[in-house]
Amino acid sequence: MNNEYLPKKAIIEKIIQESSDTKTFLLCLNHRAYGRLKYKPGQFLMLSLAGFGEAPFTFASIPGKDGRFQVSVRRVGALTNALHQFKEKDIVGVRGPYGNTFPLEKLKKKDLLFVAGGCGIAPLRSLIQYVFKHRKEYGKIEIIYGCRTPGDRFYRAEMESWQNNPDTKVHLTVDEPDEKWGGSCGVVCVLFPKIKLNPKTSFAFICGPALMIKFAIRDILKFGFKEPNIWASLERYMKCGIGKCGHCYLKGKYVCLDGPNFSYSQMKELGIEA
Amino acid sequence: MQRFFITKENLKVLIASLKKDCDEFIAPKREHLDDLVFGDAKNEGGELLEYEGNSVISPRAFLLPQTEPLFEIQSVKNCGFRPIEDKKTRIFYGVRPCDIKAISLMKEFFLQGIEDTFYKQKLEHSVFISLACGKRCFAKSFCNLMDAGPVAKEGFDLQLIPLSRGYLAEAGSKKGSQIIQKNKKLFSKALPDDEKEIKALLKNFAERVKKIDFKKLANIMQEDKVSPEVWDDIGQRCVVCSGCITLCPTCSCFSIVDRLDGDKGVRLRYCDGCPYAGFTRMAGGSTPFPLHKEHIRRFFEHKLNVDLQRYGTPSCVGCGRCIQACPGNISIKKFIDTVILNG
């Protein structure tokens, strides 16, 4: 009997402290027992801790050696608090991958804009890494990343290396700067005037708090991006990941099956207006 | 479809022989306070051959129980999990056509895409014997308007239609045909008069009503043309008792939780539903749908609009249980009438 709810064992190989409340876990499925985990950018997995239940997390990296993958987890509830107590070599349960990916074929040769707020950078990172891996196939890339404080930034070393890619710009902003901060201040929208992409043909990818997504879409539309070319990664409460439990149901769609990545034209059909 | 006749006495004999072939014989019984509920009658007996009205709660509870283990947690430390299988064979006797349709809809839902192993397994090991309705049951039921009664069209293994002299029996599947084959001696040929009696019964049900235009209803909801006052009124009436989702035969939402006793335990799912304020609440506290009216709206839109588009039929079967139970007098039937009238 194939029990879809039964998680597979994965070992925590490395833990990276990203900020005061967020850690990135490098996980490896026992691939001798289960095979390698194959997934695409933007998909998610259900992560289980026995005794604490499970929760969905988007892959925060492209698949590494033997299907190794990363998830970045902010401490917000019972499960994430428990996960933060875990050490390297500890074992967690995973099942997936679930959900959809981005229209990867359509993106070729196009300019790409990434807008991330807070831990919204994690789901977008799988796509960003994917694009950099196939850098020649894509046009200009601009990444806008906003956080609360300079200390809340994730993937700091990696982000500096992103800058070194050809035709790539990374813009940073924080809500509350400290003395050392020399960059922009304010919400992500303050950085939009700096974008130098052709809005007619470019694609935008947004992830962050619901309110940030709303205002970012508004500004990007004003900038001239087309509705089907604006993509957001939505977050909903979900329990099963396979379209059965009903929690993430949204006007006939299930965020776990039909999403979590939706274009703005699709979002409007689901009743989410910017 | 070939129809047979069976007398009341022979039906009793049939039931006795069916009981031997299953692990649980789920049949309508009278519980304390005279409530009609489905329960296991294999050993204790007490099953009703025939009954008026419908059970308080649909047999859904045996297919999607209030709590159901998904697997055992053998060790918290090592994430040791052991699958659980339910291989019990069940015969459901006396299920009303509305609930039969509900089970068919649930089957379609649970088996589409990634299959729900637990629902599938239970269905595979189950036999459904439908008992058609001779009379209207609850005053508030409207199965005939929702294409779900008084006689089931499909979804049953065996259907019994009550007649003045006994029951007309028809098989709806291989499992049903096998039951008739195996107990051939108990059945006889149906007479032309029996068919006439059924025709009269159906006519009696159909004559009293005007058919609901499902497409029109769905379109109005799809285009968001239901007047905001209707939703406001419903939002004020809902007291979040969850009676509707508990009794609805097509409600299937659930949550998953771990229950531990020391280092061992179980991960189980339990019935959940959209009227609860916490249904969409995420870790960190943000709730995309915080209002009562949004919850009932989701409930109604799912049943009347979305599922019509998905399955070609609304997933409200008109059993009337939610209307009967609602302390705030919210009625899905009244809602349908209002929307169609004003649309």
Side-chain angles (χ1 to χ4, degrees):
Chain A
M1 186 180 83
N2 177 32
N3 184 346
E4 189 61 38
Y5 299 99
L6 198 67
K8 295 163 180 168
K9 282 186 189 184
I11 186 162
I12 300 176
E13 290 199 334
K14 205 175 165 194
I15 301 174
I16 305 151
Q17 186 87 39
E18 298 287 357
S19 70
S20 58
D21 60 1
T22 305
K23 284 179 179 176
T24 294
F25 297 84
L26 174 66
L27 297 167
C28 184
L29 204 64
N30 183 346
H31 51 86
R32 277 189 203 93
Y34 310 113
R36 289 186 175 87
L37 195 70
K38 284 179 189 152
Y39 65 90
K40 296 203 167 82
Q43 287 194 293
F44 69 93
L45 77 156
M46 297 297 288
L47 196 140
S48 273
L49 301 185
F52 293 93
E54 42 182 7
F57 296 97
T58 312
F59 293 100
S61 68
I62 49 173
K65 190 175 174 275
D66 291 329
R68 282 175 172 77
F69 57 94
Q70 298 179 19
V71 286
S72 295
V73 181
R74 172 169 281 172
R75 211 155 24 85
V76 282
L79 183 133
T80 49
N81 263 309
L83 183 60
H84 271 243
Q85 308 303 319
F86 273 54
K87 304 274 178 309
E88 286 172 9
K89 302 258 162 26
D90 281 346
I91 291 170
V92 295
V94 296
R95 55 191 182 91
Y98 298 124
N100 69 353
T101 179
F102 299 99
L104 297 170
E105 281 305 306
K106 275 196 203 163
L107 303 184
K108 286 189 174 162
K109 303 254 184 323
K110 300 282 176 7
D111 292 350
L112 309 177
L113 169 68
F114 295 92
V115 183
C119 48
I121 188 72
L124 293 185
R125 186 174 172 231
S126 62
L127 181 59
I128 294 173
Q129 285 188 346
Y130 178 89
V131 170
F132 282 143
K133 197 180 169 194
H134 310 94
R135 185 66 192 94
K136 280 181 191 156
E137 295 175 28
Y138 301 91
K140 285 183 210 156
I141 293 173
E142 298 208 30
I143 299 165
I144 292 179
Y145 179 33
C147 324
R148 273 174 297 179
T149 70
D152 288 321
R153 282 174 297 148
F154 299 2
Y155 321 132
R156 275 179 240 182
E158 190 177 325
M159 221 170 264
E160 293 202 353
S161 74
W162 290 349
Q163 301 252 34
N164 302 331
N165 278 287
D167 277 333
T168 305
K169 272 183 205 149
V170 180
H171 311 279
L172 301 174
T173 177
V174 295
D175 293 342
E176 299 158 21
D178 56 14
E179 304 90 58
K180 287 182 220 152
W181 184 250
S184 305
C185 294
V187 292
V188 288
C189 299
V190 301
L191 293 172
F192 288 156
K194 294 191 178 174
I195 305 169
K196 293 202 176 62
L197 304 175
N198 175 9
K200 290 276 174 290
T201 55
S202 303
F203 278 76
F205 301 91
I206 308 166
C207 189
L211 211 61
M212 188 218 87
I213 294 181
K214 189 175 164 142
F215 284 103
I217 291 179
R218 251 189 225 181
D219 281 14
I220 291 171
L221 281 172
K222 270 188 223 155
F223 198 66
F225 276 68
K226 287 182 184 156
E227 286 184 1
N229 293 357
I230 302 175
W231 286 72
S233 197
L234 297 187
E235 185 191 11
R236 284 287 181 275
Y237 189 55
M238 46 181 84
K239 279 291 181 189
C240 71
I242 56 175
K244 307 293 182 211
C245 79
H247 288 269
C248 68
Y249 167 95
L250 204 57
K251 290 226 168 177
K253 298 267 189 247
Y254 292 91
V255 174
C256 66
L257 289 183
D258 306 289
N261 308 298
F262 293 98
S263 72
Y264 182 56
S265 347
Q266 290 169 331
M267 285 166 69
K268 281 208 304 195
E269 285 171 27
L270 302 180
I272 303 172
E273 298 269 350
Chain B
M1 202 184 302
Q2 207 184 347
R3 283 168 158 174
F4 297 90
F5 176 79
I6 186 167
T7 61
K8 247 180 209 182
E9 284 64 39
N10 281 354
L11 182 59
K12 278 180 198 162
V13 179
L14 177 68
I15 287 177
S17 106
L18 287 175
K19 275 186 181 176
K20 284 180 204 146
D21 293 342
C22 62
D23 296 322
E24 283 179 7
F25 189 80
I26 314 294
K29 291 163 97 172
R30 290 268 169 218
E31 293 277 297
H32 57 286
L33 298 178
D34 219 24
D35 280 339
L36 191 91
V37 291
F38 278 83
D40 184 10
K42 181 177 160 80
N43 297 320
E44 298 110 80
E47 74 274 7
L48 301 172
L49 217 55
E50 210 178 292
Y51 59 103
E52 272 192 20
N54 202 350
S55 55
V56 176
I57 183 160
S58 85
R60 171 191 119 178
F62 292 90
L63 298 166
L64 191 66
Q66 183 61 33
T67 59
E68 177 175 32
L70 297 174
F71 52 80
E72 274 175 35
I73 299 171
Q74 289 184 308
S75 149
V76 169
K77 192 95 193 34
N78 298 317
C79 261
F81 301 129
R82 204 172 69 102
I84 295 175
E85 292 194 34
D86 179 357
K87 285 185 172 163
K88 273 186 187 165
T89 54
R90 297 183 176 88
I91 294 180
F92 290 81
Y93 171 81
V95 183
R96 290 300 192 200
C98 54
D99 292 335
I100 288 284
K101 186 184 174 186
I103 290 165
S104 304
L105 284 164
M106 296 266 276
K107 178 183 172 188
E108 215 163 319
F109 171 73
F110 274 119
L111 267 56
Q112 76 186 1
I114 298 172
E115 287 177 348
D116 184 284
T117 325
F118 296 92
Y119 203 85
K120 189 185 174 188
Q121 203 174 37
K122 285 201 199 79
L123 281 187
E124 275 172 1
H125 298 149
S126 292
V127 172
F128 294 96
I129 302 177
S130 171
L131 181 63
C133 305
K135 282 187 209 156
R136 273 300 267 284
C137 53
F138 301 131
K140 284 163 181 166
S141 71
F142 52 104
C143 60
N144 45 353
L145 300 184
M146 304 313 277
D147 251 348
V151 177
K153 286 176 187 154
E154 56 188 5
F156 53 86
D157 294 304
L158 191 70
Q159 172 156 253
L160 301 169
I161 308 172
L163 300 168
S164 43
R165 67 183 189 109
Y167 300 90
L168 205 68
E170 61 179 2
S173 73
K174 223 177 170 180
K175 282 182 197 169
S177 307
Q178 279 166 354
I179 292 176
I180 295 179
Q181 275 300 318
K182 221 178 135 188
N183 301 281
K184 243 179 175 172
K185 282 180 206 155
L186 301 174
F187 294 92
S188 62
K189 261 192 183 169
L191 301 174
D193 273 357
D194 299 335
E195 298 285 351
K196 263 188 209 161
E197 205 179 325
I198 292 173
K199 266 187 193 151
L201 170 101
L202 287 173
K203 207 177 157 198
N204 187 24
F205 261 85
E207 257 177 8
R208 276 186 266 168
V209 294
K210 220 172 85 188
K211 284 267 169 205
I212 292 175
D213 187 348
F214 296 141
K215 282 229 169 93
K216 183 180 172 187
L217 177 69
N219 279 339
I220 297 169
M221 297 183 92
Q222 181 70 26
E223 285 164 18
D224 204 5
K225 282 184 182 157
V226 180
S227 95
E229 289 89 51
V230 172
W231 297 124
D232 287 343
D233 178 57
I234 286 172
Q236 283 180 346
R237 288 167 176 278
C238 178
V239 295
V240 204
C241 73
S242 77
C244 49
I245 54 159
T246 308
L247 300 178
C248 180
T250 61
C251 266
S252 59
C253 290
F254 59 83
S255 251
I256 297 176
V257 72
D258 289 2
R259 286 274 175 270
L260 285 186
D261 184 9
D263 192 45
K264 292 189 191 319
V266 67
R267 175 163 297 170
L268 46 89
R269 66 170 169 199
Y270 60 95
C271 295
D272 201 347
C274 49
Y276 297 121
F279 192 64
T280 57
R281 190 190 298 136
M282 291 181 273
S286 129
T287 308
F289 300 101
L291 301 173
H292 289 348
K293 62 174 178 183
E294 291 167 336
H295 304 154
I296 307 299
R297 179 172 175 170
R298 174 193 179 112
F299 182 92
F300 283 5
E301 278 186 348
H302 189 174
K303 309 251 177 220
L304 300 173
N305 173 19
V306 172
D307 278 351
L308 180 78
Q309 292 176 26
R310 203 179 296 161
Y311 307 120
T313 172
S315 63
C316 168
V317 294
C319 70
R321 290 186 178 100
C322 59
I323 310 175
Q324 190 100 333
C326 186
N329 261 332
I330 299 174
S331 161
I332 193 165
K333 172 70 171 47
K334 210 172 131 196
F335 171 80
I336 294 170
D337 292 344
T338 315
V339 170
I340 290 215
L341 195 72
N342 300 331

